[in-house]
Amino acid sequence: MRGKPHPWVFKVWVRTGVCGVMFDFDIYQGSNNGLRAKSELGLSGDVVTKLASTLPEGHNYKFCADNFFTSVPLVEKLLDRGIHYIGTGRQVRLPNCNLEDDKSLKKKGRGAFDHRVEVKHNISAEKWYDYRAVTLMSSFAGTEPVEKIQRWDKVNKTYIEVERPHIVGIDNKYMGGVDLLDSFTAKYKFPVKSHRWYMYIFWHTITLAAVNAWLIHKRDCKALGVSPKETLNLRLFQAQLASSLILKDTIKTPSAGSGSSVTHTVTAGPLTAQKRPSSGNENPTSVPPKKTCPHPPPDVRMDLLGHFPMKTKKRGHCRHCPTGYTDTQCFKCDVRLCFKDDRNCFWDYHWKEEEEH
């Protein structure tokens, strides 16, 4: 794809929600021996109809897409299935729709617009001029109500009021889910290389699954009233997910020749997400913050497999009770826990839900 930052890539068509959650995808496979099956809707329209085929009919779903996909036949095809559409469009894909040209709208000033309505299917086409002209098409939104919005004026260096049709506000509100998903998947990619091209597609699906799970985690935390500070960010979520997949239902064994009395030092491992070092000027005489061992993921901590008590050379604070001081440590979780006659934090930690995560 010429003009792209990475012109040689695998193309994946994706249907997402507004927040970036992926619902369906399809890998672009190109033409068959240089020949492409001709379609009434073309490649862009076929992509949308294929991704919409998994949706039930008549449930008032609304699609938002960019000008690569928008066309009148596509909007009509979706309307037959009870699915509405909104998106930016191209003038060449609006036959017999004579909207004002860009020059005449520019003379009228910012906020000028022109619209047409196709009577048979009630499809609205709108051209709005801000810094430049933009054309939109929708089967459920139109010009009214016209809104007053604040826009920055570069010449006078101040905010001015500009009229904006309702269809433009709807498109701005619900567009951008795929861009969000792309930004999340590009944040923390694991550097793995292979000579087999299909492995990259396989690894990408794993990344998409992890990001999807994190977005659902954020949505559920918001619905349950969990504070943003207690909600895991993407880096911590991926670290806990990796720890869960590696350690759940497994038993850690000591290294060869170390014996049963080996002391395991509680340090930050590669699966523990740590804060990146600051690049600013730091005081060399300042005391570094005290490192604490993070709690293992709940599904690892409570899987009741391989959690054996072991003695350490140094005593430390118990991770379960605020006053405990012990030299007993869980072999699998790498945390100190009281293991006494009057207080068994070792059992409580691996059986009861922890309040602090």
Side-chain angles (χ1 to χ4, degrees):
M1 300 184 69
R2 292 176 296 177
K4 295 291 184 179
H6 303 283
W8 295 97
V9 294
F10 296 105
K11 184 70 175 177
V12 181
W13 310 109
V14 179
R15 174 168 62 86
T16 70
V18 179
C19 61
V21 177
M22 183 185 67
F23 299 124
D24 200 356
F25 73 96
D26 182 48
I27 300 174
Y28 174 61
Q29 303 176 44
S31 57
N32 186 13
N33 296 327
L35 300 176
R36 192 189 309 278
K38 292 186 178 180
S39 171
E40 177 187 358
L41 302 177
L43 170 64
S44 59
D46 290 341
V47 169
V48 178
T49 54
K50 186 174 183 178
L51 293 176
S53 62
T54 55
L55 291 174
E57 298 184 4
H59 282 64
N60 200 30
Y61 287 104
K62 297 177 176 64
F63 269 41
C64 294
D66 58 22
N67 56 27
F68 177 77
F69 303 95
T70 305
S71 66
V72 176
L74 171 64
V75 179
E76 294 176 354
K77 187 80 171 178
L78 293 176
L79 280 176
D80 293 339
R81 299 190 63 243
I83 299 175
H84 292 284
Y85 184 92
I86 185 173
T88 56
R90 303 173 183 176
Q91 186 66 43
V92 294
R93 294 189 179 180
L94 298 175
N96 304 321
C97 183
N98 299 320
L99 294 169
E100 286 191 47
D101 56 21
D102 298 357
K103 290 184 179 180
S104 61
L105 289 175
K106 186 177 181 179
K107 288 180 181 179
K108 294 181 179 179
R110 295 178 64 179
F113 59 88
D114 185 26
H115 70 280
R116 299 288 187 274
V117 177
E118 192 267 337
V119 180
K120 184 177 180 181
H121 297 89
N122 198 27
I123 300 174
S124 174
E126 194 89 24
K127 181 179 279 191
W128 178 61
Y129 187 86
D130 187 15
Y131 285 112
R132 60 178 182 176
V134 58
T135 304
L136 299 101
M137 186 190 306
S138 176
S139 59
F140 68 94
T143 304
E144 300 296 335
V146 179
E147 307 160 335
K148 293 282 188 179
I149 61 171
Q150 297 287 329
R151 302 290 288 171
W152 179 255
D153 188 359
K154 293 181 179 179
V155 178
N156 300 322
K157 298 188 182 301
T158 183
Y159 285 98
I160 60 174
E161 276 196 348
V162 173
E163 289 186 341
R164 185 182 69 180
H166 181 64
I167 185 176
V168 181
I170 293 294
D171 183 74
N172 292 342
K173 182 178 180 180
Y174 296 109
M175 190 63 183
V178 177
D179 296 331
L180 271 178
L181 182 64
D182 287 342
S183 65
F184 292 144
T185 54
K187 261 190 171 182
Y188 306 112
K189 282 192 172 181
F190 41 88
V192 184
K193 294 184 179 181
S194 175
H195 292 289
R196 294 173 289 179
W197 60 268
Y198 50 85
M199 292 302 299
Y200 290 91
I201 298 178
F202 171 71
W203 293 328
H204 186 64
T205 57
I206 295 178
T207 304
L208 288 174
V211 172
N212 235 30
W214 173 68
L215 291 172
I216 295 174
H217 163 75
K218 284 182 60 179
R219 183 193 64 184
D220 293 345
C221 287
K222 185 177 180 181
L224 294 173
V226 180
S227 64
K229 291 184 178 180
E230 296 177 352
T231 304
L232 296 176
N233 57 35
L234 179 57
R235 192 162 182 242
L236 286 173
F237 183 86
Q238 287 184 341
Q240 286 205 8
L241 176 63
S243 299
S244 300
L245 294 176
I246 293 173
L247 298 177
K248 188 177 186 303
D249 296 333
T250 60
I251 300 177
K252 289 177 61 179
T253 57
S255 57
S258 61
S260 59
S261 61
V262 61
T263 301
H264 291 259
T265 306
V266 181
T267 57
L271 300 180
T272 304
Q274 299 293 320
K275 291 184 177 179
R276 295 177 178 175
S278 175
S279 58
N281 296 328
E282 297 181 357
N283 186 5
T285 61
S286 62
V287 179
K290 184 179 179 181
K291 294 182 179 179
T292 59
C293 177
H295 288 283
D299 50 352
V300 175
R301 178 168 56 87
M302 304 177 67
D303 62 358
L304 300 181
L305 185 66
H307 299 280
F308 303 114
M310 57 177 291
K311 293 295 182 180
T312 60
K313 292 182 178 180
K314 294 183 179 180
R315 290 165 59 85
H317 291 282
C318 176
R319 292 305 306 274
H320 185 70
C321 63
T323 58
Y325 203 68
T326 179
D327 60 352
T328 304
Q329 177 176 303
C330 177
F331 182 74
K332 184 174 181 178
C333 298
D334 288 335
V335 294
R336 288 187 176 90
L337 298 164
C338 295
F339 193 49
K340 303 178 180 179
D341 295 335
D342 58 339
R343 185 170 60 249
N344 192 349
C345 294
F346 192 91
W347 171 260
D348 295 339
Y349 184 80
H350 296 105
W351 182 254
K352 299 178 181 178
E353 283 287 350
E354 190 74 14
E355 296 180 358
E356 180 186 357
H357 296 282

